[in-house]
Amino acid sequence: MKILAIDSSGLVASVAVLEDDVLLAEYTVNYKKTHSQTLLPMLDAAAQMIELDLNTLDAVAVAGGPGSFTGLRIGSATAKGLGLALGKPLISVPTTAALAYNLYDAEGFICPMMDARRSQVYTGIYRFENHEMKTVLEQKAMSVEDAAAELNRLGGPAILLGDGMAVYKEKLEELLKVPFSAAPPHLSRQRAGALAALGVCYFREGRVCTAAEHKPDYLRLSQAERERLERQKAESQTEKRKDGSNGTDS
């Protein structure tokens, strides 16, 4: 089995190729460039280094969300384009699950946190049992306070990772009452190698879709969509006030 994995859900851009139990290539960059500039050149460079024939792939795994709206769209478009061109299925892997898989077989609760702005994080809670990752809390957007409260409720030690953990480190240190630690730098951000490994598990379970069917799971509306709805709400309230005033005058 040969899987190409793509993750551009956050600040990190990462691609990897996994064949059976061997990670053939992984190219990860966390720098000040947009994924539209980096992703395809990274994929091309990795493919050339291992002389990859894309037609030999069994599937394309992609970070399915949540994350950066722009990053998810770029990753999704790249994966869909490859899937359509090659006639290969896509494996949509939840972003926080792929992050948690960086810490395979770690003890305790694993809590990835991605900065979602507005004092919120995209997060989920996972743990390993008998070498299999279990979902304790499905990924969602929530406040840092609620995320900490959930870990406190569970009561066990936790490992935190992701860019949200770095952003809200001081607040988390104040809020958390359970023992916790931070994942080391080489495991604390998105890695396509982990996404590919978890993607293989999903593939074997039949959790695949066609390229045409795939769409990212943003978990919440984009800023532009939220602002549009707020404008519509304000305009609606203004119209209601005008109608009420006209009714009183008559």
Side-chain angles (χ1 to χ4, degrees), residues 114-183:
M114 300 176 66
D115 184 17
R117 309 293 175 87
R118 297 189 173 192
S119 295
Q120 285 194 325
V121 290
Y122 296 123
T123 188
I125 300 177
Y126 305 86
R127 74 178 311 166
F128 284 89
E129 297 177 7
N130 298 319
H131 314 298
E132 184 178 347
M133 192 170 76
K134 304 291 185 180
T135 301
V136 179
L137 176 70
E138 292 284 353
Q139 64 177 15
K140 60 179 67 178
M142 60 196 307
S143 69
V144 178
E145 289 80 4
D146 286 346
E150 192 64 31
L151 287 170
N152 288 335
R153 184 188 67 79
L154 290 169
I159 306 175
L160 309 183
L161 68 160
D163 57 25
M165 185 271 170
V167 171
Y168 299 108
K169 181 180 178 182
E170 292 182 2
K171 181 176 287 189
L172 288 164
E173 289 174 345
E174 294 176 3
L175 294 169
L176 286 171
K177 309 303 179 186
V178 295
F180 72 96
S181 59

Side-chain angles (χ1 to χ4, degrees), residues 18-185:
L18 182 70
E19 184 174 16
D20 297 327
D21 294 325
V22 179
L23 183 62
L24 296 180
E26 185 177 37
Y27 193 159
T28 301
V29 174
N30 185 6
Y31 196 63
K32 305 172 184 178
K33 290 186 178 180
T34 61
H35 297 323
S36 59
Q37 294 175 293
T38 57
L39 199 60
L40 285 175
M42 288 167 57
L43 173 57
D44 185 56
Q48 287 190 35
M49 287 293 290
I50 61 173
E51 300 178 346
L52 173 66
D53 178 357
L54 292 173
N55 290 294
T56 64
L57 294 172
D58 291 290
V60 178
V62 61
S68 156
F69 286 81
T70 302
L72 287 175
R73 282 192 285 266
I74 292 170
S76 177
T78 303
K80 285 169 73 74
L82 288 168
L84 288 168
L86 300 170
K88 305 295 181 180
L90 265 57
I91 309 166
S92 182
V93 181
T95 308
T96 62
L99 263 168
Y101 213 69
N102 283 354
L103 303 177
Y104 178 82
D105 245 4
E107 294 184 0
F109 297 103
I110 302 170
C111 184
M113 292 184 176
M114 300 176 66
D115 184 17
R117 309 293 175 87
R118 297 189 173 192
S119 295
Q120 285 194 325
V121 290
Y122 296 123
T123 188
I125 300 177
Y126 305 86
R127 74 178 311 166
F128 284 89
E129 297 177 7
N130 298 319
H131 314 298
E132 184 178 347
M133 192 170 76
K134 304 291 185 180
T135 301
V136 179
L137 176 70
E138 292 284 353
Q139 64 177 15
K140 60 179 67 178
M142 60 196 307
S143 69
V144 178
E145 289 80 4
D146 286 346
E150 192 64 31
L151 287 170
N152 288 335
R153 184 188 67 79
L154 290 169
I159 306 175
L160 309 183
L161 68 160
D163 57 25
M165 185 271 170
V167 171
Y168 299 108
K169 181 180 178 182
E170 292 182 2
K171 181 176 287 189
L172 288 164
E173 289 174 345
E174 294 176 3
L175 294 169
L176 286 171
K177 309 303 179 186
V178 295
F180 72 96
S181 59

